[in-house]
Amino acid sequence: MTQNEKAAAAKKRSHAIMIIVLVLLFILFIIPFILVVINVFKTKGDILSNPMALIGEHGFTLQNFPEAMAKMNFFNVFKNSLIITILSTILTILVSAMASFVIVRNGKWKFCSGIFALMVASMVIPFQVLMVPLVSVYGGILGVLNHRITLILMHTGFSVSMATFMFHGAIHTNIPLELEEAALIDGCSRWQTFWKVVFPLLKPTIATVTIIDAMAFWNDYLLPSLVLTDKSLYTIPIATQAFYGTYSTDIGLVMAALLLAMLPILILYLFLQKYIVAGVTSGAVKG
Amino acid sequence: MNRNTFSYKLKQVLMFAGPGTILFFCVVVVPFVYGLYLTFTSWDGVSPNKPFVGFENYVAAFQDSAYWIALGRTAIYSIFAVVFINVLAFALAYLVTSGVKGQNFFRAGFFVPNLIGGIVLGYIWKFVFNRAYVALASAIAGGQVASPLSTTGGAMFCLIFVSVWQYAGYMMLIYVAGFMSVSDSLKEAAMIDGCTPSQAMRNVTIPLMRSSFVQCIFLSITRCFVVYDVNLSLTKGEPFGTSVMAAMHVYNTAFTYKKYGLGQAEALILFLVCAIVGVTQVVIGKKGEVEA
């Protein structure tokens, strides 16, 4: 064998080992999901007697789904999660893009740079520090809890700083001032310039912020659980928590509820996987 | 119209930045300041008056041994979780950038746990540990095996295990971006100079990826220190309150025992500890950063 052939053979061998390691790790990563999927089609007795069996002794059953759906009020909580996630994401993008635009273009003004510095500094504050005062101000003093709009505005307020930070970077580096000046000379107002020239150019950042924030809003538990205590307003994570509290012994129903809670985002991931991975990567690296 | 007057500029700033800034102030700045005030009261969450008690809450927080035990437990949990998250994430990133077939598929697969909220993940693993693991281990051992969640050390182990599984895929993406940023020509140059692949990795690639390490470690520290969702669903602090993390202790103090002032003081201490650890790590990490 020549030197080159030896190197090629060694490379092939190391690739084979890597693939084996990857496959093993991959199985370890998805095994909990597989266990949920195989057990969701079994009766309660079959799950308890052998959770590892592919099919239960009493055969294949679909009855866990309708029962869990009804008890969890699935369509209602799904609708709540959807409304809250969509509106919070849109609102976050609109107000953050607008704010970052004026902050970049008036960067020398202390008022603007001060707000921006405050926002960046606030990103290190964990939610635990804000939850008690938040509940006492909006629950105790103002009494505005248990409205979807309250949660939407709070979600927006919490994510404004991160989103503004990302839009700030995009406008600062990617959008030439000359472009705006041209639009202003052509008779656009600042408002029109922003919406017709700047905002469309922010598409890549809008996509990143949408993915990061929508996922965070969809999965958030602590804040929604403090704001929405009325059962009819529950989101998927709160409903899952409440469901487990009531039916934890009815393991078949629990499996169905957990699968239902995961399904929407997993289906979305199947189609948008490339964009989600790209969005999260660029968001994580910039943030 | 003059675009340079003060009033014009102010109007512009208020129009564009107003909505975002108002919301930000309403839910972040005002509650933060109000929270500071709450730590000096003994409010129970219900009564209209909030009696001023000075530094009593801070004294009580320092004397609350359950809180310090929870904080110490959180530190231990964070150390293990942060180390294993980053080791696994780095290994995964190495494997999925080495040019093997289907690496995009693996990348997407390892990320899946991050799509799902901590509450759901915790209950899935609770089922795995309590049912699947017990059934399998009992069959192998030939007798009844207890669930790891029912023992003190076991519950902590499960919590660390699930956190590593949960975050490794996310950190992997950051390390992947780090690997991609190190140009191949540098590695090739090192190999031509006589480096073995592992030497090239140790002396060229890893030093150039320092900022990825700093970032991943910072993110994992700040997330682990305030872990709540998985803690609530997977162990709920059981058995016998031996897996209560700091964030859960704060929640219970404020909302279950209705000691809002004390809970807020403990939350602030948690924040300070977390911020000091995180910032120290970033400062140390940034010091040795090198440019290609």
Side-chain angles (χ1 to χ4, degrees):
Chain A
M1 257 199 287
T2 66
Q3 200 73 29
N4 270 345
E5 278 167 351
K6 252 186 208 162
K11 201 172 179 190
K12 225 176 183 177
R13 223 176 14 249
S14 79
H15 265 202
I17 296 171
M18 279 192 220
I19 288 184
I20 293 169
V21 174
L22 270 175
V23 169
L24 288 178
L25 281 169
F26 188 76
I27 293 171
L28 187 73
F29 259 76
I30 58 166
I31 224 160
F33 302 119
I34 293 176
L35 281 170
V36 171
V37 172
I38 61 175
N39 282 298
V40 82
F41 299 113
K42 292 184 202 165
T43 59
K44 183 184 165 189
D46 284 344
I47 299 175
L48 292 179
S49 66
N50 188 1
M52 305 301 279
L54 279 179
I55 296 172
E57 274 171 45
H58 298 87
F60 186 86
T61 172
L62 281 171
Q63 67 176 14
N64 289 327
F65 282 106
E67 210 178 330
M69 270 180 161
K71 288 191 164 139
M72 204 181 168
N73 208 350
F74 183 73
F75 289 109
N76 188 49
V77 296
F78 179 74
K79 185 193 79 190
N80 287 337
S81 275
L82 208 60
I83 293 174
I84 289 164
T85 304
I86 291 176
L87 292 182
S88 308
T89 310
I90 293 176
L91 203 59
T92 303
I93 285 172
L94 295 184
V95 300
S96 313
M98 279 161 59
S100 60
F101 171 66
V102 82
I103 287 172
V104 174
R105 295 303 178 224
N106 294 287
K108 289 199 186 98
W109 203 8
K110 285 264 158 55
F111 180 63
C112 285
S113 56
I115 290 176
F116 188 62
L118 201 60
M119 284 186 174
V120 173
S122 80
M123 293 193 319
V124 298
I125 300 174
F127 179 68
Q128 272 75 10
V129 176
L130 302 170
M131 66 182 182
V132 172
L134 212 57
V135 168
S136 48
V137 172
Y138 295 98
I141 299 173
L142 300 173
V144 291
L145 299 185
N146 272 318
H147 294 287
R148 282 195 209 98
I149 186 72
T150 308
L151 180 59
I152 291 168
L153 292 174
M154 283 183 180
H155 269 325
T156 308
F158 280 119
S159 32
V160 155
S161 42
M162 173 79 175
T164 303
F165 177 73
M166 294 183 65
F167 281 121
H168 186 277
I171 294 177
H172 196 74
T173 49
N174 293 339
I175 298 184
L177 195 56
E178 290 78 20
L179 212 59
E180 283 164 42
E181 280 164 357
L184 287 172
I185 289 166
D186 287 347
C188 274
S189 67
R190 262 291 142 147
W191 184 254
Q192 288 168 320
T193 311
F194 175 73
W195 292 112
K196 293 192 170 153
V197 179
V198 179
F199 194 71
L201 288 172
L202 290 172
K203 257 182 212 151
T205 316
I206 293 172
T208 306
V209 175
T210 303
I211 285 162
I212 294 173
D213 281 342
M215 265 167 50
F217 298 151
W218 183 266
N219 287 325
D220 196 13
Y221 167 73
L222 192 47
L223 172 65
S225 77
L226 294 170
V227 177
L228 307 174
T229 46
D230 182 347
K231 240 184 152 169
S232 64
L233 296 173
Y234 277 4
T235 59
I236 290 180
I238 314 175
T240 312
Q241 169 70 10
F243 187 91
Y244 198 89
T246 319
Y247 302 103
S248 63
T249 51
D250 223 327
I251 199 79
L253 293 185
V254 169
M255 292 293 107
L258 292 176
L259 191 63
L260 287 169
M262 299 189 281
L263 222 46
I265 198 142
L266 288 181
I267 291 171
L268 200 69
Y269 189 58
L270 220 53
F271 294 105
L272 299 177
Q273 182 232 97
K274 209 173 85 192
Y275 302 96
I276 292 178
V277 168
V280 169
T281 308
S282 69
V285 173
K286 276 178 210 142
Chain B
M1 190 167 43
N2 190 347
R3 291 207 159 97
N4 285 320
T5 61
F6 180 77
S7 73
Y8 173 81
K9 266 187 167 176
L10 187 68
K11 232 158 98 190
Q12 290 289 315
V13 169
L14 290 182
M15 184 164 76
F16 280 100
T21 313
I22 290 169
L23 286 175
F24 169 70
F25 269 78
C26 285
V27 300
V28 179
V29 180
V30 171
F32 188 80
V33 175
Y34 187 70
L36 285 176
Y37 158 72
L38 276 184
T39 62
F40 297 106
T41 70
S42 66
W43 190 44
D44 60 3
V46 189
S47 79
N49 52 326
K50 304 181 173 72
F52 187 81
V53 295
F55 284 93
E56 249 173 57
N57 284 321
Y58 289 95
V59 174
F62 278 101
Q63 287 169 347
D64 181 0
S65 58
Y67 174 65
W68 291 97
I69 291 170
L71 204 58
R73 193 181 288 135
T74 309
I76 294 169
Y77 153 83
S78 301
I79 291 168
F80 281 105
V82 167
V83 169
F84 288 120
I85 286 170
N86 285 283
V87 169
L88 181 61
F90 184 80
L92 290 177
Y94 173 73
L95 289 170
V96 299
T97 49
S98 59
V100 297
K101 262 194 199 118
Q103 54 185 17
N104 286 332
F105 169 80
F106 285 116
R107 250 179 241 183
F110 291 131
F111 185 73
V112 167
N114 290 281
L115 299 166
I116 298 156
I119 291 290
V120 176
L121 292 182
Y123 285 130
I124 293 175
W125 277 101
K126 196 172 188 156
F127 170 75
V128 173
F129 288 128
N130 278 349
R131 305 282 175 203
Y133 169 80
V134 168
L136 197 65
S138 301
I140 292 168
Q144 192 60 31
V145 173
S147 160
L149 285 171
S150 64
T151 62
T152 311
M156 274 288 272
F157 169 82
C158 292
L159 213 48
I160 293 167
F161 184 90
V162 173
S163 303
V164 172
W165 173 83
Q166 184 186 4
Y167 290 128
Y170 182 81
M171 303 302 161
M172 171 196 73
L173 290 182
I174 302 176
Y175 284 123
V176 165
F179 269 113
M180 311 270 245
S181 70
V182 179
S183 99
D184 283 336
S185 61
L186 285 170
K187 281 179 260 177
E188 278 160 22
M191 306 275 246
I192 289 167
D193 288 347
C195 276
T196 62
S198 69
Q199 282 173 327
M201 168 67 94
R202 211 170 40 236
N203 299 319
V204 178
T205 313
I206 291 181
L208 286 172
M209 281 174 65
R210 196 168 174 120
S211 66
S212 304
F213 280 96
V214 173
Q215 196 192 357
C216 282
I217 295 172
F218 178 77
L219 282 175
S220 38
I221 288 177
T222 46
R223 285 181 181 202
C224 286
F225 254 91
V226 296
V227 61
Y228 180 76
D229 291 10
V230 170
N231 193 190
L232 177 68
S233 54
L234 184 68
T235 72
K236 217 180 176 185
E238 299 300 319
F240 316 116
T242 53
S243 68
V244 175
M245 295 291 156
M248 186 182 268
H249 183 90
V250 167
Y251 183 97
N252 290 343
T253 306
F255 296 121
T256 311
Y257 301 113
K258 304 283 176 208
K259 293 178 185 163
Y260 280 62
L262 178 59
Q264 184 60 17
E266 292 180 344
L268 267 177
I269 296 172
L270 173 66
F271 165 47
L272 287 179
V273 172
C274 179
I276 290 168
V277 174
V279 170
T280 312
Q281 186 272 134
V282 170
V283 169
I284 294 172
K286 289 260 182 216
K287 247 186 202 164
E289 225 162 81
V290 285
E291 296 276 330

